Amino acid sequence: MMRIGPPNKVIALAFVCLCFASPAWAQRDSIRLTHGPMLGRPTSKSMAVWARTSDAGQFIVRYGTTPPLPHGGDNWTHQSQPASTTLEHDNTGVAILKELTPDTRYHYRVFVDGHPQGNFGSFKTMPSQEASISEHNPEGLYNFRFQIGSCANQNPKHGIGHASPTYQNLNRDWADKVDFHVMNGDWLYEELRDYPAEAWRLTQGVDELPAPLQVMPTLAGVWENYKLYLARNEDLAKWHRHVPSYFTFDDHELLNDIWGASEAGKRHRRTVFRDIGTYGWNDYLGWANPFETKQRLHFGKGQLTAGSDLLVDKSINFQTLPIDQMLNLHVHWGTASAGVDDMQFDDDSGNANSYVYDIAEVIDEHTLRLHMPAKTDDTVSYSIGQRSYGNFRIGNCEFYLLDTRGDRDMHDISQRDKRGLSMIGETQRKWLLDHMQASDADFHFVVSSVPMMIPHSGAGGYESDADNKEEAWTGFIDEREILINAWDKLNKKVFVMTGDLHNSFAIKVTDNVWEFCCGPHNSVNHVPSLDESDRPATGLFQFGPRQCDIRWSSYVLADVPRLDRLYPHYCVVQVNNVFNMPKKLGGKRLVAYPHPQIVFQYYDGWTGELAYAEAVSLDRDTVGNE
């Protein structure tokens, strides 16, 4: 029988009610839409539409280029292939709309069991290279915009709450103007993480838990966390109905201050929650992303024997898994509170074999050799992680979505420049630099969920040594400098788009490398004098061997009480490749700029007013015949 820790009073009451109501399962309501839709994977000819249904089943999307009719109906003739939702993924699924017309606004609605469900949505497809070519624009370049931000805490105990002015302003001013959105980590913060898997089963009216919850019962709380955030913030849900997104995950999608996920031999409750959090992120946000490797994480139950370094799982053929394309192995903590963000649970009460393990060898179909022996005889829940990074190309811009948590070594602030220490892992770093060196893109956007030049220390810490807190690349200076030096030699413009710190800033690192930190969307601001090594609001700053120039930042003084530090910001990035110069007013003839430019525009989250803008152009000696 599954062990469940003591739920809170609300969950306990629901649990009791459901137990008495179980004979009514046969009279369950018809399948319906519960969450969504959300948009992702935008191209000039396709769009992905995500939705969640009340029960496992299917949904379709009907769509067309005409707006909904005044009475709420439509005259659309196009519809997607059915998308399946399954219990294994909390009844979520994705439909793909294909053969769309470039640079065209579409309207759509989800249908479940033949009935229209939820609100109408709309989106615009990306422009196409073919349609943009002219005698003055032979490469078919085009302009586009995207919005980027991070850190959207909805918990009313920790700031603005779920009535978000940022998303109200984004919906008002930008939903019809930006081509896509990048949410750079901390889309959600940990709530409902103690929701029991048994309560999930009773709510679904099924006889047994699906495989993911049998192995990872605390996944139920992660799923509930996402559903809460989508249901509670209507402005957020509206934004995602109309603007396609890409997502990185940072610590809060997994578990606050999760460190050292690749550090073999590390034992900590937060560290080994990596794959449980990632599984939920895949279902609710990660579906929208490109991935360099297609293999998702593996989970199972295996047998460990004290003193032996072998893990045996008769239910899987390890020889069929591309282990070399995956991360290391974690044995899960195993307590009901494993995913709860509360320091009282940071003790040593987890499974005695719960550690980070390197996989030394695949012995046979059912046996792995681990880097160290087990402590006790036990049947354990374990997982092998996934590589969660990827890239996509739009026009002359290449975007790289990094994973800064999954393959992260354990930092030590007493040795910030320790050689070989990695935040992203050697495999991801090689992939990133190889792709950037091979690309002919004019501009590179490296999306990192944590800052590059400004430390993120202070603000508490959850290791036994809380003074060791560091979230940023300033805890991995050797790798940071390797990357910056390689980027500088590309002779291209590299923009590191960062988050996690609850402030925004624009930083010139070198002539070719810039950092733009964007946020918070909704979270309480950090204090630079306490949490960011006392960096200035603007001016020269040095942490480690490299000096940088802070051109602008949001900044909060230390005398402002914590719950009054409510200064959200968001960033709209405009890529200016061409201008329109038709022979007759109202026509279209795109003319390429000799030196394209990127304009970074920061807006006040309360008012929507422009706070700062920075334009970066290609150097005059890198294009054309000059």
Side-chain angles (χ1 to χ4, degrees):
M1 178 178 292
M2 185 176 304
R3 297 177 61 194
I4 301 175
N8 61 39
K9 293 181 180 179
V10 174
I11 293 175
L13 179 61
F15 182 79
V16 171
C17 293
L18 284 166
C19 287
F20 285 106
S22 58
W25 289 353
Q27 283 77 45
R28 286 177 65 83
D29 292 338
S30 299
I31 184 174
R32 67 191 187 281
L33 179 75
T34 65
H35 299 82
M38 294 197 292
L39 300 168
R41 306 183 203 168
T43 75
S44 61
K45 297 181 180 179
S46 64
M47 186 68 69
V49 182
W50 174 97
R52 182 188 183 274
T53 55
S54 58
D55 295 273
Q58 292 184 330
F59 69 88
I60 64 169
V61 179
R62 289 181 55 179
Y63 59 96
T65 57
T66 57
L69 298 174
H71 56 76
D74 66 77
N75 55 9
W76 306 326
T77 58
H78 300 288
Q79 71 179 42
S80 70
Q81 291 295 313
S84 296
T85 65
T86 63
L87 289 171
E88 290 76 12
H89 298 288
D90 200 25
N91 299 334
T92 64
V94 179
I96 307 297
L97 313 187
K98 301 179 180 179
E99 299 181 1
L100 306 179
T101 302
D103 202 17
T104 300
R105 173 130 329 248
Y106 284 86
H107 302 265
Y108 72 96
R109 198 173 191 185
V110 171
F111 280 68
V112 182
D113 199 22
H115 302 288
Q117 300 272 300
N119 293 305
F120 288 98
S122 69
F123 62 85
K124 185 175 75 70
T125 51
M126 295 296 299
S128 72
Q129 179 183 18
E130 295 78 9
S132 303
I133 291 175
S134 74
E135 69 273 24
H136 300 289
N137 184 29
E139 296 182 16
L141 297 177
Y142 47 84
N143 300 336
F144 64 92
R145 292 191 190 101
F146 65 94
Q147 188 272 328
I148 184 166
S150 62
C151 306
N153 196 341
Q154 291 187 26
N155 192 330
K157 296 179 181 179
H158 298 287
I160 296 172
H162 57 273
S164 171
T166 292
Y167 284 99
Q168 292 170 7
N169 288 320
L170 285 172
N171 284 320
R172 181 194 68 198
D173 298 336
W174 294 106
D176 292 336
K177 295 178 182 177
V178 299
D179 293 280
F180 60 93
H181 162 57
V182 178
M183 184 62 190
N184 195 11
D186 295 342
W187 184 91
L188 85 172
Y189 286 64
E190 303 87 339
E191 296 185 60
L192 303 184
R193 289 295 185 94
D194 56 356
Y195 191 87
E198 182 67 2
W200 183 95
R201 182 186 71 81
L202 292 169
T203 300
Q204 285 299 132
V206 295
D207 292 330
E208 65 178 11
L209 294 171
L213 289 181
Q214 292 183 27
V215 175
M216 305 179 290
T218 48
L219 172 62
V222 179
W223 283 343
E224 294 303 313
N225 198 171
Y226 279 105
K227 285 181 280 194
L228 173 67
Y229 267 50
L230 277 172
R232 188 167 61 182
N233 191 331
E234 295 180 3
D235 296 304
L236 173 74
K238 180 179 179 181
W239 174 256
H240 286 302
R241 283 199 306 272
H242 294 281
V243 180
S245 296
Y246 298 95
F247 301 91
T248 64
F249 59 73
D250 197 44
D251 57 339
H252 291 288
E253 281 85 3
L254 309 182
L255 186 53
N256 186 25
D257 287 356
I258 181 171
W259 300 334
S262 74
E263 192 76 19
K266 182 170 175 58
R267 174 176 172 81
H268 198 279
R269 173 180 74 94
R270 295 171 187 268
T271 302
V272 295
F273 202 77
R274 176 194 67 188
D275 298 335
I276 301 171
T278 302
Y279 191 99
W281 176 80
N282 285 339
D283 292 336
Y284 277 85
L285 302 180
W287 60 270
N289 282 18
F291 288 98
E292 175 64 15
T293 58
K294 302 303 181 185
Q295 179 65 43
R296 301 280 62 83
L297 66 89
H298 166 74
F299 59 88
K301 290 193 174 183
Q303 185 66 42
L304 292 175
T305 302
S308 170
D309 59 3
L310 301 182
L311 181 144
V312 179
D313 182 353
K314 297 292 187 181
S315 69
I316 179 66
N317 181 354
F318 287 117
Q319 293 174 339
T320 65
L321 285 179
I323 298 292
D324 61 330
Q325 299 177 28
M326 303 178 73
L327 300 179
N328 53 11
L329 183 145
H330 288 186
V331 170
H332 301 161
W333 199 245
T335 64
S337 56
V340 177
D341 182 21
D342 192 326
M343 289 179 65
Q344 69 172 307
F345 300 121
D346 288 325
D347 53 27
D348 199 39
S349 63
N351 185 288
N353 289 312
S354 182
Y355 287 87
V356 175
Y357 295 86
D358 281 345
I359 299 173
E361 183 183 2
V362 178
I363 298 296
D364 57 35
E365 291 184 356
H366 306 303
T367 309
L368 296 177
R369 185 183 303 283
L370 305 179
H371 85 282
M372 70 178 194
K375 304 297 183 183
T376 63
D377 295 352
D378 199 3
T379 299
V380 298
S381 295
Y382 74 93
S383 55
I384 304 173
Q386 68 183 47
R387 299 195 182 278
S388 301
Y389 54 85
N391 67 304
F392 60 95
R393 176 78 175 255
I394 299 179
N396 59 339
C397 298
E398 197 91 43
F399 291 80
Y400 307 88
L401 303 173
L402 299 187
D403 171 8
T404 66
R405 297 288 175 175
D407 205 13
R408 181 180 180 135
D409 292 338
M410 186 61 209
H411 65 271
D412 182 352
I413 64 170
S414 70
Q415 295 180 283
R416 291 178 179 272
D417 59 351
K418 182 179 179 181
R419 293 180 63 85
L421 199 66
S422 179
M423 177 182 286
I424 59 176
E426 182 179 353
T427 299
Q428 184 176 184
R429 185 175 68 243
K430 184 178 186 304
W431 163 82
L432 175 65
L433 293 180
D434 286 351
H435 273 70
M436 294 178 76
Q437 289 164 0
S439 175
D440 64 352
D442 291 324
F443 302 103
H444 296 272
F445 291 88
V446 179
V447 184
S448 161
S449 67
V450 295
M452 179 71 64
M453 304 305 296
I454 305 295
H456 181 186
S457 53
Y462 291 92
E463 293 287 336
S464 57
D465 178 11
D467 291 336
N468 192 41
K469 179 180 173 73
E470 180 56 87
E471 302 295 309
W473 288 90
T474 45
F476 301 83
I477 287 178
D478 178 56
E479 183 173 56
R480 185 191 77 172
E481 293 303 301
I482 289 172
L483 291 173
I484 292 174
N485 288 331
W487 295 336
D488 209 28
K489 293 176 183 177
L490 291 175
N491 205 26
K492 303 286 184 69
K493 296 302 179 186
V494 178
F495 307 115
V496 190
M497 311 300 296
T498 62
D500 188 56
L501 265 179
H502 299 173
N503 278 306
S504 288
F505 42 81
I507 296 178
K508 184 177 183 181
V509 182
T510 74
D511 287 342
N512 293 322
V513 181
W514 294 71
E515 178 182 358
F516 293 95
C517 189
C518 307
H521 270 179
N522 213 49
S523 303
V524 169
N525 295 78
H526 289 133
V527 175
S529 62
L530 301 176
D531 310 321
E532 303 173 26
S533 293
D534 204 21
R535 54 94 177 170
T538 59
L540 299 180
F541 177 73
Q542 185 166 347
F543 195 94
R546 187 181 295 273
Q547 188 177 73
C548 63
D549 181 4
I550 303 175
R551 312 277 283 222
W552 169 86
S553 73
S554 61
Y555 197 92
V556 178
L557 295 175
D559 61 356
V560 179
R562 183 180 183 276
L563 292 182
D564 290 331
R565 302 175 200 156
L566 306 177
Y567 298 94
H569 284 82
Y570 57 92
C571 184
V572 175
V573 182
Q574 174 142 343
V575 179
N576 285 334
N577 283 312
V578 297
F579 59 94
N580 190 27
M581 183 51 61
K583 292 183 177 180
K584 291 185 178 181
L585 194 64
K588 181 179 180 180
R589 182 177 59 166
L590 298 182
V591 180
Y593 281 112
H595 305 93
Q597 68 269 181
I598 313 293
V599 184
F600 299 85
Q601 303 164 88
Y602 286 92
Y603 292 87
D604 183 301
W606 284 105
T607 66
E609 294 294 322
L610 180 67
Y612 180 76
E614 181 88 43
V616 182
S617 299
L618 285 187
D619 293 338
R620 292 330 193 226
D621 59 352
T622 61
V623 294
N625 298 319
E626 300 179 20

